[in-house]
Amino acid sequence: MKKQDAVHKPPGPAVMSGTEPANAAFMCALGPALAAVALPEKAAGMAAYMKSSMPFLGVPAPAVRKAVRSLAREHPFSSPGELHATVMELWSGAAHREERHAAIMLCDSRLGRGEAALLPFYAVVIGTGQWWDYVDSVAPRLWDLLAKDRAAMGPLLREWSGHPDFWFRRAAIISQLPAKAATDVQLLSDVIVPNLADKEFFIRKAIGWALRQHARTDPEWVLRFVAVHGLSPLSRREALKHL
C-alpha cells in the first residue's frame, strides 16, 4: 500500500496548464468557514481513522459540503478554467484534509459535472491522494465524464484498469457506480477482468462493490459474470451480498 498524501508526479494524464486565475474570494473565505464549524476535539480521531499524515480540522463531511455550496453561491465561478485553477490550488496548498475534500466537492456542481477540463485534476487526486476517501469521491465525477463522452472516457478507463498504480485501477472499476441502467456492461467487464487475480484489498473490494451495485439493476448479468469468472472470496461475497 502506498503512503497517502505523497507528493510526487501523478501517473495518468498530464496536468493542464491553466491560464485563468483561481477564485481568490472563495479560497480566502473557505478557511474561516471551515474553522467556524470545526469540532477540534474530533480532529485527531478523524486523522487516526483515515490513517492520514495530513491533519484534520474536525469538520464532518456534510458540514464541509454545506460550506462549499454556500461559498460557491456567494463567490460564484465564472468558467471551468477558473474552477480548475481553484481546485488545483486548494489541493496543492491544503493544510488540512477537509480543504482537499472541499476541492473535490467543488467539482460536483453544475459547472463542474461532466467538464473534461477537470480530468487532469481527478488524475492528480488519484495519483497524489493515494487513499480511498479521495479516490471514491472522484469516481462519480468520472461517471459524469463517461456519460457525456463515452468515446473518449471508455478507452481511458480501460487504460487505467491496467495502470501500475492500483488506485487508478480502483477508480476505473468503481467509475460506473452511479450509472444504474446506463451502465456499459462491456466496459464494466473490461475493467474488472484484468484485476481479478490482484490480491490488493482495495481492488478486491472495488470489484465486489461494482458488481453488487450493478446487481441492483441487472442481477442476472451479475450472476452470469460471477459464474463465469474466478472471483476472490471477498469480491464474490460482496458481489452476491443482496442476491
Side-chain angles (χ1 to χ4, degrees), residues 17-47:
S17 297
T19 57
E20 295 186 54
N23 186 331
F26 178 94
M27 294 184 65
C28 288
L30 180 63
L34 293 177
V37 293
L39 303 171
E41 67 277 11
K42 300 209 177 267
M46 293 168 74

Side-chain angles (χ1 to χ4, degrees), residues 88-172:
M88 287 295 294
E89 286 198 27
L90 281 175
W91 181 267
S92 62
H96 297 91
R97 202 174 185 92
E98 290 93 339
E99 293 167 299
R100 287 191 156 185
H101 290 160
I104 298 171
M105 290 173 185
L106 270 174
C107 301
D108 183 18
S109 62
R110 185 166 56 183
L111 187 63
R113 285 192 294 270
E115 177 51 60
L118 293 174
L119 179 58
F121 171 66
Y122 302 145
V124 167
V125 171
I126 298 167
T128 63
Q130 298 283 295
W131 202 239
W132 63 265
D133 61 328
Y134 294 141
V135 175
D136 295 4
S137 297
V138 160
R141 306 289 72 81
L142 298 177
W143 160 245
D144 295 336
L145 293 174
L146 178 64
K148 187 174 182 179
D149 189 353
R150 291 177 185 264
M153 286 299 296
L156 178 64
L157 292 172
R158 287 181 172 90
E159 178 185 336
W160 280 10
S161 72
H163 203 286
D165 184 336
F166 73 81
W167 291 112
F168 279 89
R169 289 186 272 127
R170 179 178 172 92

Side-chain angles (χ1 to χ4, degrees), residues 175-227:
S175 62
Q176 294 194 82
L177 287 178
K180 298 182 180 178
T183 299
D184 181 338
V185 292
Q186 186 59 59
L187 175 60
L188 182 61
S189 177
D190 288 348
V191 297
I192 289 176
V193 170
N195 291 284
L196 288 174
D198 198 299
K199 297 182 189 280
E200 169 58 50
F201 168 82
F202 286 105
I203 293 297
R204 292 187 168 188
K205 190 78 171 179
I207 291 170
W209 187 12
L211 292 172
R212 184 178 78 238
Q213 184 72 3
H214 188 54
R216 299 175 185 273
T217 300
D218 191 348
E220 294 302 322
W221 186 92
V222 173
L223 286 169
R224 289 195 301 271
F225 184 92
V226 172

